[in-house]
Amino acid sequence: MSRNRVTVIGAGNVGATVAQRIGEAGLADVVLVDIVDGLPQGKALDLAEAAPVVGHDARVVGTNDYADTAGSDIVVVTSGIARKPGMSRDELMATNAGIVRSVVEEAARRSPDSILIIVTNPLDAMCHVAMEASGFPRERVIGMAGVLDSARFRAFIAMELGVSVEDTHAFVLGGHGDTMVPLPRYSTVAGIPITELMSPERVQALVERTAGGGAEIVALLKAGSAYYAPAAATFEMVDSILRDRKRVLPCATLLQGEYGVDGLFVGVPVVLGAGGMERVIEIGLSDDEAAAFQRSAGAVRELVEVLHA
Ligand SMILES: NC(=O)c1ccc[n+]([C@@H]2O[C@H](COP(=O)([O-])OP(=O)(O)OC[C@H]3O[C@@H](n4cnc5c(N)ncnc54)[C@H](O)[C@@H]3O)[C@@H](O)[C@H]2O)c1
């Protein structure tokens, strides 16, 4: 029996770190692809040379040729450019949409049964591009954002209360970043809602820090953006799918009437297994939560409209 195969497109910070985590876990062979000649080959060789020390047998190869990606079970898309000074959000979106469209067309043709995990920003809009470019059903086009946002929230809850991250759980809905909708009443420490453990002001402060989590790292790094936590979050999704674990994770998925939204990718809790996004978990929302969710979905709708303008 052969090992699973995961293609990671974009051998930058996030892509290479995803490749490292998958390889080191021995979860799958990895094909790392980039448009820059030598970059994926060099990083893959470096990772392969770490394998004897780490002690895994997963093969990691780098390439600029999509023929090498054929037959992948999962394709992770991290290729894109970061916003440059003077570049508008819409210009960034147009550039990354072009990149995501072209790489997904290439990869989907070689791996028609694969499951796509989209990471490139602006995340929710890029999921729409990937779905159009691949022609895949919604079960096989999934966006990574909620796992990262909830990991950040969990980290801040654990720091605030001085408890293990293992016992913290967070529930986050909606679009990525500043439009996310954290649900404190479903965010718990060992089953206890955090609203019982800290003041509303502290909860609000952690929520705001989480929504600005990406920007906080950018401000510290000065060049580049977060990648360890984004890569760990992406790995968790890959692991749940390849090992058919049925983890319940917040992911961007195409809603078809769930949560009162139709035809938009928005972050909601889903079951991730061998079939990809196997089920949307729908919960009742209070009026305030529902309004915040609709605002978040509205932000995604605006981006998609710009995309199609
Ligand atoms: N969804 C999330 O929560 C989340 C979190 C972190 C980063 N991101 C996004 O992920 C993306 C990657 O971030 P990063 O830090 O790894 O950036 P990076 O600049 O380090 O890497 C991007 C890579 O994409 C490659 N690339 C560009 N065009 C390509 C093409 N046409 N074909 C193949 N490769 C191409 C570049 O050469 C580069 O190596 C960004 O869009 C970033 O905003 C999303």
Side-chain angles (χ1 to χ4, degrees):
M1 196 197 288
S2 60
R3 246 189 311 271
N4 285 115
R5 165 180 269 228
V6 176
T7 284
V8 179
I9 306 177
N13 283 337
V14 177
T17 312
V18 170
Q20 178 185 10
R21 294 194 71 93
I22 293 173
E24 289 188 354
L27 184 62
D29 290 336
V30 182
V31 182
L32 193 55
V33 187
D34 203 282
I35 199 167
V36 178
D37 185 32
L39 180 70
Q41 291 87 346
K43 290 204 179 177
L45 182 60
D46 198 3
L47 287 169
E49 289 167 358
V53 183
V54 178
H56 72 80
D57 292 302
R59 277 189 303 274
V60 185
V61 296
T63 182
N64 309 110
D65 184 352
Y66 284 86
D68 298 328
T69 69
S72 295
D73 300 288
I74 294 184
V75 175
V76 177
V77 177
T78 76
S79 52
I81 60 157
R83 194 153 146 189
K84 303 197 170 82
M87 188 182 234
S88 75
R89 214 176 138 92
D90 291 354
E91 282 169 334
L92 172 77
M93 188 162 72
T95 303
N96 280 353
I99 292 172
V100 169
R101 185 170 294 116
S102 69
V103 305
V104 167
E105 277 170 6
E106 295 282 355
R109 200 143 48 85
R110 267 62 171 224
S111 302
D113 300 321
S114 61
I115 293 168
L116 303 177
I117 298 179
I118 309 303
V119 180
T120 306
N121 275 323
L123 192 270
D124 309 279
M126 293 307 113
C127 292
H128 281 266
V129 172
M131 188 155 185
E132 283 168 16
S134 63
F136 287 2
R138 74 163 178 168
E139 290 74 16
R140 295 198 282 121
V141 183
I142 310 161
M144 187 291 287
V147 179
L148 172 62
D149 290 332
S150 58
R152 285 179 171 150
F153 197 21
R154 288 174 63 189
F156 300 147
I157 293 167
M159 288 175 202
E160 175 83 10
L161 296 172
V163 298
S164 167
V165 289
E166 203 177 315
D167 295 320
T168 64
H169 292 276
F171 198 105
V172 176
L173 290 171
H176 183 36
D178 43 1
T179 69
M180 65 162 219
V181 184
L183 299 190
R185 68 191 171 106
Y186 286 126
S187 300
T188 60
V189 175
I192 308 159
I194 58 166
T195 47
E196 302 280 324
L197 299 169
M198 53 181 114
S199 68
E201 293 73 28
R202 288 312 299 156
V203 170
Q204 187 54 26
L206 300 194
V207 163
E208 283 169 20
R209 189 173 180 195
T210 303
E216 184 178 1
I217 304 255
V218 168
L220 289 167
L221 293 179
K222 314 231 172 25
S225 51
Y227 57 99
Y228 291 118
T234 307
F235 172 82
E236 190 171 45
M237 293 169 65
V238 171
D239 176 66
S240 187
I241 293 168
L242 289 184
R243 297 204 288 145
D244 193 25
R245 295 186 64 192
K246 319 273 190 212
R247 298 284 311 275
V248 178
L249 298 173
C251 299
T253 194
L254 185 79
L255 295 179
Q256 295 176 330
E258 299 94 347
Y259 291 92
V261 173
D262 196 17
L264 282 179
F265 273 86
V266 190
V268 293
V270 301
V271 177
L272 285 190
M277 193 288 292
E278 297 186 344
R279 189 154 43 98
V280 172
I281 301 215
E282 214 172 346
I283 57 151
L285 299 179
S286 70
D287 289 349
D288 285 354
E289 291 161 353
F293 186 80
Q294 289 302 329
R295 265 199 305 280
S296 189
V300 178
R301 183 173 290 110
E302 275 174 30
L303 282 180
V304 174
E305 279 166 4
V306 170
L307 207 56
H308 290 142

